Amino acid sequence: MAGEPGTAEVSESARAAPAAPLRGLVAWYSGYRQKGVPPGRHRGLPSPYLTLIITLDDPLTVARHPDPADPPGDYLTLAGGLHTTPALITHPGRQSGIQLALSPLGARALFGRPAGELAGIDVDGSEVLGAIARELHERLRGADTWAARFALLDEILLDHADLDQQVAPDIAEAWRLLTRSGGRIQAGELARRVGWSPRYLQRRLLTETGLAPKAAARVTRFDRARRTLQRQTTGAGECTLARLAAGCGYYDQAHLAREFRELAGCPPSTWLAEEFRNVQSGPDTQDGE
């Protein structure tokens, strides 16, 4: 299907690390703009990062939220917590915005609340940022380069964030151990490493992130696998699902395929076909880069 008649195809993306004081709270900024392409859809997949999206032109259309009970809607800004089911975003042949990958460890500093309060849901950005959401939208729309937009993000977030609102060091260490292991560390070992009982670890992790240790490990492992798959498929390296499964800690290829169906809502081949031309997530990145 062709894009909009008479519209030249445009596809651009950019990525940047945040200012030094924001690192550890924000993993990266990704900018994207696309027009003149066929109408399409993008799956917002489970990952170990919260999401904040600020649109630049058209609103973001969410056809299905991670919580299917939430009605579809259009958003100028959108904030989403950690989740284990995909969102479905559609576009009419054009889309643009900036997406922030936020560590759950930064939710208190940036949103004034623990990430657990956003677990499994997407909300209008104003619900967690107040008037800052409108300021972000208006000022980013007025900037004319990605570098200028990213600099504005640094400025506004640094002015808004309460950097003294940090999670307790022990829960921060538990989350870092879990994500750095690629989701391979067992819950019992994780509890032992931070000196807690498994039950206490589960309660604390749910409060601060919205995911229990087993679910957090599952989402982290899946995020690593799908990013590796995308990178290998679009690059020069050979990609086999069996090798990918072994490298990312799955029992076998069937286990990986089953996780894709449950967490992405489709097989790996379908996801790749849908995402190949999508630029919403910006240049591919690995966890925390």
Side-chain angles (χ1 to χ4, degrees):
M1 183 183 298
E4 298 176 359
T7 301
E9 181 174 336
V10 173
S11 184
E12 59 184 76
S13 59
R15 192 192 75 173
L22 295 170
R23 294 173 192 173
L25 309 181
V26 181
W28 66 83
Y29 304 145
S30 292
Y32 60 93
R33 174 169 275 127
Q34 199 171 39
K35 65 179 180 179
V37 300
R41 66 182 184 177
H42 162 68
R43 294 174 191 265
L45 299 183
S47 86
Y49 301 104
L50 286 75
T51 297
L52 176 63
I53 296 176
I54 304 105
T55 60
L56 297 176
D57 300 309
D58 299 293
L60 185 77
T61 299
V62 181
R64 187 180 69 216
H65 292 272
D67 183 348
D70 291 339
D74 294 336
Y75 299 85
L76 297 179
T77 60
L78 180 77
L82 301 186
H83 52 100
T84 57
T85 55
L88 188 61
I89 297 163
T90 61
H91 67 82
R94 59 185 184 275
Q95 56 178 340
S96 61
I98 295 179
Q99 180 170 321
L100 286 68
L102 309 175
S103 168
L105 303 180
R108 289 184 182 272
L110 295 172
F111 296 154
R113 68 184 72 188
E117 294 186 10
L118 293 172
I121 61 173
D122 291 326
V123 297
D124 189 279
S126 63
E127 292 190 30
V128 293
L129 287 172
I132 301 300
R134 181 175 180 179
E135 180 183 357
L136 282 167
H137 182 249
E138 292 179 349
R139 293 184 66 185
L140 290 175
R141 280 170 55 90
D144 57 5
T145 67
W146 292 116
R149 294 177 190 117
F150 296 149
L152 272 173
L153 272 172
D154 282 342
E155 176 189 328
I156 297 170
L157 292 181
L158 283 170
D159 186 58
H160 165 72
D162 183 354
L163 299 180
D164 292 330
Q165 288 291 317
Q166 302 288 333
V167 301
D170 44 10
I171 195 68
E173 179 63 12
W175 185 255
R176 292 188 187 105
L177 286 169
L178 194 153
T179 53
R180 287 173 182 170
S181 76
R184 294 190 180 204
I185 192 169
Q186 297 294 315
E189 173 63 11
L190 184 60
R192 186 192 68 78
R193 295 276 293 272
V194 295
W196 293 341
S197 70
R199 181 174 296 181
Y200 185 68
L201 171 66
Q202 175 159 314
R203 184 165 70 249
R204 291 291 305 278
L205 209 62
L206 274 171
T207 297
E208 290 298 337
T209 73
L211 294 179
K214 186 175 180 179
R218 184 188 186 200
V219 162
T220 299
R221 191 166 54 244
F222 170 75
D223 184 67
R224 180 185 179 194
R226 66 98 172 176
R227 292 184 188 280
T228 303
L229 176 62
Q230 183 179 16
R231 186 168 55 250
Q232 291 179 345
T233 301
T234 57
E238 179 184 359
C239 175
T240 68
L241 290 182
R243 184 179 301 172
L244 179 67
C248 293
Y250 293 97
Y251 297 124
D252 51 27
Q253 181 176 331
H255 184 201
L256 171 62
R258 188 164 59 249
E259 288 292 88
F260 249 92
R261 287 193 296 271
E262 293 184 7
L263 295 176
C266 65
S269 58
T270 300
W271 175 71
L272 284 171
E274 290 178 348
E275 292 294 318
F276 189 76
R277 292 176 59 123
N278 181 67
V279 296
Q280 184 172 338
S281 296
D284 183 55
T285 182
Q286 192 61 13
D287 303 346
E289 290 183 359

